[in-house]
Amino acid sequence: MNAIFTTPPRPVDVTALFPQLAPLARTATRLHPRPGSPTVHDSSVGGPLLWPADEPWPHCDEPHERGATRRVLSPDDIRLLRTNQAAITSRRHLGSPASRPTPEELATEKRILQGRPWPEDPVPLLPVAQLYARDVPLPFSPPGADLLQVLWCPFDHPSHPRTAVFWRSASTVTDVLDTPPEPPAIKSQGYLPEPSLLAPERVTEYPALMELDEELRQELGDPSRWDGSCPATPREFYESELSTSPGWKTGGWSRWGLSDPMPRRCPECGTEALPLLTIATLEWDADSDSWAPEEERTNPTPLLLGAPPANLTLIGIARGSSLQLHACPADASHPHIELVQ
């Protein structure tokens, strides 16, 4: 991706006011996924993977409960619905009646929304992200690996898609699988990422408020410590504007919201697991719009008009949440941990 996205400077140099935070700084890489046409040789979200032709494509063979799901659609159904919606959106400036769905578009939607049969056989996993180390600094990786690939089962296990992580050396893949299998049906339209290219950007993050010790939390909550530079409630200002960036990213600190911080220990060796990849529903919302890239503030695309909230990959996890993958820094090949926040 040739685009460059720049996170605006934070409103306050928080380490100048609270030097205790300086040793806690971590680098995160915001991925800034934007819809495009990635190839197997690109870092991407929802794009094709550099997958060896002689390696079996991963499937999920566990039960998939219907729950409250009314209908399931195929990936092609969802793509066609998105194409129709994009066409309708592109005509809005023409006013009525041109901006209304055509009879053909309505008929297509009606046919698609009849749904597909519930899958009974093992379900092929869907590509979620492919990250080349040359493009995206990975916080840690197994020896010799320079490519991270993440896939998921597009059904809930139990409340979100279950992910699978693969590390490999890109140079060893000489014969690429041309046509990977796709699931015959998907639980939610939001479980099919829109193919997107990346514009990685490094930013500095600090721990979420509840990961700090009590003394520092009290200092951050004291308005007199901010020298008049805090325009909102101090703790909320720190959480939303100064600590962790929203959106897709690697590394950095964990974001919290649905629960208080909890231990994240490697299930194999007990080492503290660290953030590897955040799969985000939203790039930013009303509480975090200061993180929106400067370039899109001055020249917003039609996709971003009206944002926040900015849902650019068209995924949806647990009503707007993020799925954070934590991995073992001692051995990234150990089983990873999933955290929804």
Side-chain angles (χ1 to χ4, degrees):
M1 191 174 193
N2 294 324
I4 295 176
F5 294 125
T6 309
T7 299
R10 296 300 80 208
V12 173
D13 179 1
V14 70
T15 58
L17 298 173
F18 304 93
Q20 312 96 303
L21 286 170
L24 303 178
R26 287 183 184 172
T27 298
T29 301
R30 302 188 70 190
L31 301 183
H32 297 303
R34 299 295 184 269
S37 300
T39 72
V40 297
H41 302 293
D42 294 313
S43 294
S44 66
V45 163
L49 304 183
L50 187 78
W51 196 270
D54 60 354
E55 183 175 327
W57 188 262
H59 289 62
C60 177
D61 57 6
E62 296 191 12
H64 299 104
E65 298 181 2
R66 292 178 180 268
T69 303
R70 294 187 300 165
R71 69 175 70 89
V72 291
L73 306 179
S74 74
D76 282 342
D77 291 338
I78 297 170
R79 293 180 185 117
L80 186 50
L81 285 176
R82 290 177 179 176
T83 297
N84 277 3
Q85 186 56 52
I88 295 168
T89 300
S90 71
R91 301 195 301 265
R92 283 181 180 170
H93 70 286
L94 300 176
S96 183
S99 61
R100 297 174 185 170
T102 65
E104 293 78 9
E105 289 166 343
L106 290 173
T108 297
E109 180 176 351
K110 181 178 180 180
R111 174 181 60 78
I112 288 175
L113 294 183
Q114 291 176 358
R116 298 280 180 170
W118 192 266
E120 301 294 342
D121 297 326
V123 174
L125 303 192
L126 279 173
V128 176
Q130 173 168 271
L131 306 178
Y132 285 90
R134 66 169 191 255
D135 303 322
V136 180
L138 300 171
F140 35 81
S141 60
D146 60 1
L147 179 60
L148 170 65
Q149 296 171 323
V150 178
L151 302 89
W152 67 20
C153 172
F155 288 85
D156 289 337
H157 291 276
S159 59
H160 60 81
R162 176 173 295 168
T163 55
V165 171
F166 296 85
W167 295 93
R168 65 178 80 251
S169 170
S171 63
T172 64
V173 183
T174 55
D175 189 8
V176 180
L177 181 64
D178 289 330
T179 310
E182 287 196 322
I186 293 176
K187 187 260 180 183
S188 167
Q189 295 185 43
Y191 291 172
L192 180 67
E194 185 72 7
S196 301
L197 291 164
L198 310 181
E201 177 203 18
R202 294 191 180 194
V203 296
T204 300
E205 293 190 343
Y206 300 96
L209 188 72
M210 292 304 294
E211 294 210 77
L212 300 173
D213 63 55
E214 178 61 28
E215 181 180 357
L216 184 48
R217 291 202 301 269
Q218 289 183 356
E219 291 187 28
L220 286 166
D222 181 356
S224 67
R225 291 294 311 274
W226 290 85
D227 295 336
S229 59
C230 178
T233 304
R235 294 190 179 195
E236 293 178 358
F237 180 62
Y238 174 77
E239 284 279 72
S240 63
E241 309 284 353
L242 306 176
S243 59
T244 56
S245 60
W248 290 70
K249 63 183 179 181
T250 60
W253 284 90
S254 305
R255 285 175 68 87
W256 302 94
L258 299 182
S259 72
D260 288 342
M262 61 186 72
R264 282 113 34 228
R265 295 288 177 183
C266 171
E268 187 158 324
C269 70
T271 301
E272 180 186 4
L274 298 177
L276 174 65
L277 173 67
T278 297
I279 302 167
T281 300
L282 303 176
E283 281 296 283
W284 64 87
D285 60 16
D287 292 329
S288 58
D289 65 345
S290 76
W291 295 90
E294 292 181 336
E295 292 80 4
E296 290 175 330
R297 291 171 177 272
T298 57
N299 186 29
T301 67
L303 192 64
L304 288 167
L305 291 175
N311 182 329
L312 303 173
T313 58
L314 302 184
I315 69 160
I317 299 172
R319 299 181 181 180
S321 301
S322 294
L323 178 57
Q324 303 177 47
L325 307 187
H326 291 67
C328 177
D331 189 336
S333 67
H334 286 175
H336 66 285
I337 298 170
E338 297 175 342
L339 175 67
V340 173
Q341 290 292 324

